[in-house]
Every structure is written in structure tokens, then in C-alpha cells.
Amino acid sequence: MSDLLEPGRHRAAGLDDEGLWNALLQVERAWLTARRAAEQFRAKAAVRGGASAEPGAAPADRAARRADPAAVAELDKAIADFDSAVANGVPRPGVEAVEGAGSPVVELVRILRSLVGDEYVHRGLTSQDVLDTALMLFAKDALGRVDTYLTLTAASLGELARAHRETVMAGRTLTQYAVPVTFGLKVAQWLVGLLDARDAVRAIELPVQVGGAAGTRSLLGELTDVPDAVVDAFAAELGLQSALPWHTRRTPITRIADVLAEACAAAGVIAGNILFLGRPEVGEVRERRSAGKGTSSTMPQKANPVLSVLIRSAALQVPPLVGHLHTCSALAVDERPDGAWHAEWPAFTRVLTLSVTALSQTADLVGGLEVDAAKMAQRAQEAAGELLAERGTGDDPAEYLGSATAFVDRVLERWDRG
């Protein structure tokens, strides 16, 4: 990825290799913490005399060994050593080492075990567990930012819809004049698209991935009598949801991508409309101008609508990436995919960064939008003959608006309800 060829990518800071490395470290630490929580539970159960009485418990000698309070102390030390290693800076592997391993996790574990010891680090997990869970942390970050930007943009649209509830303008269908509408209605429709997208973003579940080598949690079952409690504690530590393994059931990835595509599409509609209405021959809206924004390298008179252009670019790029992720999902075979999983990584992270960037730009675009209501009214009046052709009589476009203002009010009521 290139900051030079992807203008605005700095808005998605943190969703990069450095951020991924930190997320991987966070996952490995959370796993140690979750195992400690399970050992504490077992130790308390042993004191109560119930360690081997639970359904599915191991033989008494194994249960007693697992419930040994000394294990909690050992895990405490492992966590302290882990934190010390992170504080001193866990070195990232070279690109050749990552290529040789096939994923960053293998090298991560090798490095951690050289710093912390290998008795507890990563035990019970597989590489896919760590990377998939780290990507869920990435998605959590991205979705939180997208939610914020959608809310900021919706607030600006709500103000515009109220201000222009009765601002008459020419309606257009298939590029030609249709009947009169209001700019408030156009903005209200944009607002509905954003609110629908925000609802979808907020409904997304982000599950941890814990399946072990082949989705059975076999080693975890050897390490503890309460594997589900470990997974629950792991999810709670990361602020994610506990779930069944999904190594080859890739709907967590595709659903996130789908809702982000919806959000980018809603932003793309806004940008596309502003690009048309901002053309010099139309001139009904324009992006706010500021020093250095939208300048041309050769034509000093120009103020290019750069935010709209970049948002539209993202809206065009995201859907093919989402389609690619669905293709990968359909090819997720065996107990871990041979290439289809790997092909997800760049596409999924690209969807995240494009979405965060575009929705941030949309908030700025709408927050600074300049509306020429007089130009809208003038054009509607000049085109009254065509705009009122369906009606057959009259010369005042403001008298032929149907339920436009009522629709605006309904949308604003939804926005006001939160």
C-alpha cells in the first residue's frame, strides 16, 4: 500500500503492518491471561472438592494436577515475562522469514518463545487462530471508526435536510429533467442510506477464532478441563465474542466486508451526486474551498472536488474486493484452506482501510458542503415547463412536490430517535 498513490490513507493510521503486529501480540497475551483465569477457576474448584466432579472432567490425578495453584503462579510469571518482552520491543521478523513460514504467526511464536519460553506461549492455538482473531481486532477498530464517521456525517445531513426541507430543485431521472423535488429530500435519502449502513455496522458480531490444529480444540482439552471457559475468558479479554471455530466457515469475514461495502456505497452515492451538482454548468453545490485543497498543477483557476473524487474511488474499489472475499469463502476446504485463506488477508485489510478512509472523507465533505439554494430555485423555475409536464398545468414547481416534505420529516424523526 502506498500513501502517495492512495491519498487520504493516513486517515486509517494503525490499520497497517505495525498495527497488525501489535494485534498479534495482543492476541497471544490475551490467551495467556485466559488460561490463567481457567487455572484460577480450577484451583478454586479443587479447594471446594469439586474439581473432578464436573461433567466431562478428566481422571482425578490429571484434574488435581491441573488444579495445582502453582500453575497460576507459573502463568503469572509467563505473563510478566511477556509484558517485559513487549515493553522492550518484540522484534518483527524479516520479510524472507515470513515468506518461508507462510504467515507472520509462525515467526511471531518463534520470537516470543525465545523471549518468554515455550511452555505456555501459544499452547492450544494454531496460526490461523491467532491471525483470524487479530484481524477481528482490526475489524473492531475499523468498524468503530466507521460508526463514528457515519454518525458525524448523519448529523451534518440532518442539519442540511432541515435547512433545505422546502428548497425546490429540479429532479432528474436518467440524466434528464423529471419533476420538481427538494434538496432536503435528496439529502434525506442520503441520510437513510447512512443510517441503514450504521445499523448494519452496529449489528456485526466479531468472534474470536479458537480451533487448534484442525478445529477440534484437542490440545486445549489436554491442557484444561474447562476449554470453553478459556475461550470465553479469551473473548472477554479482547472485547470479542466467544464462538465455535470458523476456520473454513468464513462468514465472519464476508459479513464485515458486506456491511462496509454498504457504507461505502452510501458514501459513493453522496459523492457522485455532489460531483454532478458541483459541475460548473450546474453549480448547485460545491465542496468547501481551502488553501491547497483541489489545486491543479497547471490550471490555477481550478478547485477540484478532491474529496468527492476520492470517496467515489473507494466506492468503486470495495465491491470487487468483497466479491473476492466471497470467492475465497466458497473455496475454504478441508479443515484449513490451502490458499483461499491466505488470499483473504490483503483483500480484507484493504476493505477496512478503504472504508475508514472514505467514511472519514465523507464526514469532512458533507460537513463543509456549500449549497446554492438560489441557483436551485432559479434552475427549477427556468425548467418549469419540463418539470411540470406530468402535471400538465401550472408554472410554479413549488406547487408540485407531492409528499417530499413529509418524507423529509419522517427521516428526520428517525435520526432524532438515534
Side-chain angles (χ1 to χ4, degrees):
M1 292 182 282
S2 167
D3 291 330
L4 295 179
L5 297 179
E6 300 173 29
R9 186 175 170 273
H10 63 280
R11 295 171 182 256
L15 298 174
D16 51 19
D17 280 355
E18 187 65 29
L20 178 61
W21 187 246
N22 291 332
L24 293 170
L25 289 170
Q26 187 179 350
V27 170
E28 291 287 1
R29 189 193 189 281
W31 185 245
L32 287 173
T33 303
R35 288 191 57 198
R36 177 181 61 181
E39 288 293 347
Q40 289 173 320
F41 173 85
R42 296 300 299 152
K44 291 176 182 178
V47 170
R48 294 194 303 269
S52 61
E54 298 178 15
D61 61 335
R62 290 174 61 198
R65 173 172 58 80
R66 293 176 190 168
D68 185 355
V72 177
E74 291 172 2
L75 278 161
D76 280 335
K77 182 178 184 306
I79 292 171
D81 291 344
F82 189 100
D83 289 343
S84 176
V86 171
N88 291 324
V90 178
R92 283 171 51 183
V95 291
E96 295 85 358
V98 173
E99 179 186 21
S103 90
V105 179
V106 175
E107 280 299 294
L108 167 74
V109 173
R110 182 189 63 77
I111 293 169
L112 287 177
R113 285 177 171 168
S114 71
L115 298 172
V116 181
D118 65 358
E119 184 175 358
Y120 291 104
V121 170
H122 194 71
R123 293 275 287 169
L125 296 176
T126 195
S127 297
Q128 186 171 357
D129 293 335
V130 177
L131 186 51
D132 278 350
T133 302
L135 289 176
M136 288 299 103
L137 291 177
F138 250 35
K140 181 182 178 183
D141 180 7
L143 290 167
R145 296 195 221 182
V146 166
D147 188 325
T148 297
Y149 297 138
L150 288 171
T151 300
L152 289 172
T153 308
S156 296
L157 290 176
E159 293 177 3
L160 283 171
R162 283 191 173 90
H164 296 282
R165 179 175 174 272
E166 298 180 357
T167 298
V168 179
M169 66 180 299
R172 300 171 176 91
T173 61
L174 303 180
T175 74
Q176 304 300 301
Y177 286 141
V179 296
V181 297
T182 68
F183 186 63
L185 177 61
K186 183 180 288 289
V187 171
Q189 291 288 10
W190 298 348
L191 179 55
V192 170
L194 291 188
L195 293 179
D196 287 348
R198 193 181 67 167
D199 287 347
V201 164
R202 292 180 174 180
I204 281 291
E205 293 186 356
L206 302 173
V208 294
Q209 174 76 280
V210 181
T216 64
R217 296 179 183 165
S218 51
L219 181 55
L220 181 58
E222 291 292 309
L223 296 171
T224 178
D225 295 323
V226 285
D228 288 348
V230 175
V231 177
D232 291 345
F234 180 55
E237 184 71 17
L238 294 170
L240 302 175
Q241 282 80 46
S242 186
L244 292 173
W246 43 280
H247 287 173
T248 54
R249 179 174 48 82
R250 307 306 292 171
T251 46
I253 293 290
T254 55
R255 283 174 179 163
I256 293 167
D258 287 342
V259 302
L260 289 176
E262 180 180 349
C264 287
V269 167
I270 296 172
N273 273 275
I274 291 173
L275 285 169
F276 168 73
L277 295 175
R279 287 173 178 266
E281 60 269 28
V282 180
E284 296 180 357
V285 302
R286 61 177 172 270
E287 291 188 16
R288 177 181 293 160
R289 301 186 181 190
S290 61
K293 177 175 174 289
T295 57
S296 167
S297 63
T298 60
M299 293 171 281
Q301 84 285 2
K302 291 189 70 179
N304 294 318
V306 291
L307 288 177
S308 298
V309 168
L310 294 174
I311 294 162
R312 194 175 191 205
S313 170
L316 292 172
Q317 291 179 72
V318 168
L321 292 168
V322 175
H324 169 81
L325 290 170
H326 279 280
T327 299
C328 293
S329 177
L331 298 176
V333 297
D334 298 327
E335 279 60 59
R336 194 179 311 166
D338 54 345
W341 174 52
H342 306 72
E344 286 180 357
W345 309 340
F348 184 64
T349 54
R350 186 86 178 107
V351 169
L352 298 181
T353 55
L354 279 169
S355 300
V356 168
T357 300
L359 271 300
S360 172
Q361 292 166 335
T362 304
D364 287 352
L365 170 65
V366 174
L369 189 66
E370 298 177 357
V371 180
D372 192 334
K375 178 65 70 66
M376 291 178 178
Q378 177 187 346
R379 177 163 286 108
Q381 192 61 54
E382 291 172 350
E386 294 178 71
L387 294 173
L388 299 174
E390 179 187 60
R391 185 184 191 188
T393 60
D395 57 5
D396 185 358
E399 295 179 355
Y400 195 59
L401 294 173
S403 299
T405 54
F407 291 157
V408 173
D409 292 341
R410 284 169 58 181
V411 175
L412 290 174
E413 287 173 8
R414 176 183 173 184
W415 166 241
D416 290 338
R417 290 194 304 268

